């Protein structure tokens, strides 16, 4: 399974919003500048995040985006599913022979487990150097 720039940059948005959770809305312009990313591309990504209820927008001079829930309540899997679709290593698992199907299912379940048990708060804290030496096993 390959995570595209949509998923990677979407997680970047969510991590930045998670680091500043409770401090009010954050403009995408700021996130783009701090991470050397295209603001126009981030605008395209934040739409699905808003439509899914993960972020909300605030208009005005001091507007921007903010998380709708606490960062510990949003998983990396939530973000990836919104931007990338279902988590599956290969298409058509059900058409594979039994040994291959079991392998693909085990890989899918391991990836889903890591994504679903890693919160935006975990990622924001790790980026701030507040990590507890997380080790992700797949």
């Amino acid at each position: 399974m390959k995570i595209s720039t949509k998923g990677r940059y979407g997680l970047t948005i969510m991590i930045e919003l998670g680091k500043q959770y409770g401090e009010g809305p954050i403009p995408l312009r700021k996130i783009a500048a701090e991470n050397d990313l295209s603001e126009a591309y981030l605008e395209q990504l934040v739409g699905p995040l808003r439509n899914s209820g993960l972020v909300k927008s605030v208009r005005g001079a001091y507007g921007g985006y903010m998380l709708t829930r606490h960062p510990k309540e949003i998983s990396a899997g939530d973000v990836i599913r919104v931007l990338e679709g279902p988590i599956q290593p290969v298409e058509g698992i059900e058409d594979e022979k039994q040994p291959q199907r079991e392998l693909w299912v085990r890989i899918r379940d391991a990836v889903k487990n890591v994504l679903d048990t890693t919160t935006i708060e975990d990622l924001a804290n790790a980026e701030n150097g507040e990590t507890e030496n997380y080790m992700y096993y797949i």
Side-chain angles (χ1 to χ4, degrees):
M1 176 182 160
K2 185 175 179 181
I3 306 288
S4 72
T5 56
K6 285 174 25 177
R8 291 174 34 225
Y9 294 177
L11 275 173
T12 299
I13 293 169
M14 297 297 285
I15 291 166
E16 293 297 326
L17 295 178
K19 287 194 296 190
Q20 300 184 42
Y21 181 76
E23 297 177 16
I26 310 299
L28 279 186
R29 158 180 76 265
K30 180 180 179 191
I31 295 172
E34 289 176 356
N35 293 278
D36 197 27
L37 301 172
S38 162
E39 183 181 353
Y41 190 47
L42 296 187
E43 285 285 354
Q44 292 175 21
L45 299 178
V46 81
L49 295 171
R50 187 180 62 247
N51 292 340
S52 70
L54 294 176
V55 301
K56 68 179 179 179
S57 61
V58 176
R59 295 179 180 255
Y62 298 102
Y65 292 90
M66 47 200 299
L67 299 179
T68 57
R69 298 178 297 193
H70 194 281
K72 69 181 173 189
E73 297 173 4
I74 302 171
S75 74
D78 296 333
V79 178
I80 296 300
R81 282 184 191 88
V82 166
L83 296 172
E84 300 279 356
I87 298 165
Q88 53 188 22
V90 296
E91 299 286 330
I93 290 176
E94 60 280 347
D95 297 332
E96 296 282 343
K97 293 181 181 176
Q98 185 64 25
Q100 291 97 325
R101 182 173 48 241
E102 287 181 19
L103 173 65
W104 302 135
V105 167
R106 286 179 33 217
I107 291 170
R108 179 201 63 204
D109 292 348
V111 171
K112 285 169 78 170
N113 182 54
V114 169
L115 291 173
D116 290 340
T117 58
T118 304
T119 67
I120 297 302
E121 182 178 67
D122 295 334
L123 296 170
N125 288 344
E127 195 167 285
N128 286 334
E130 300 172 23
T131 181
E132 297 176 16
N133 296 322
Y134 285 104
M135 181 65 72
Y136 302 104
Y137 294 97
I138 296 182

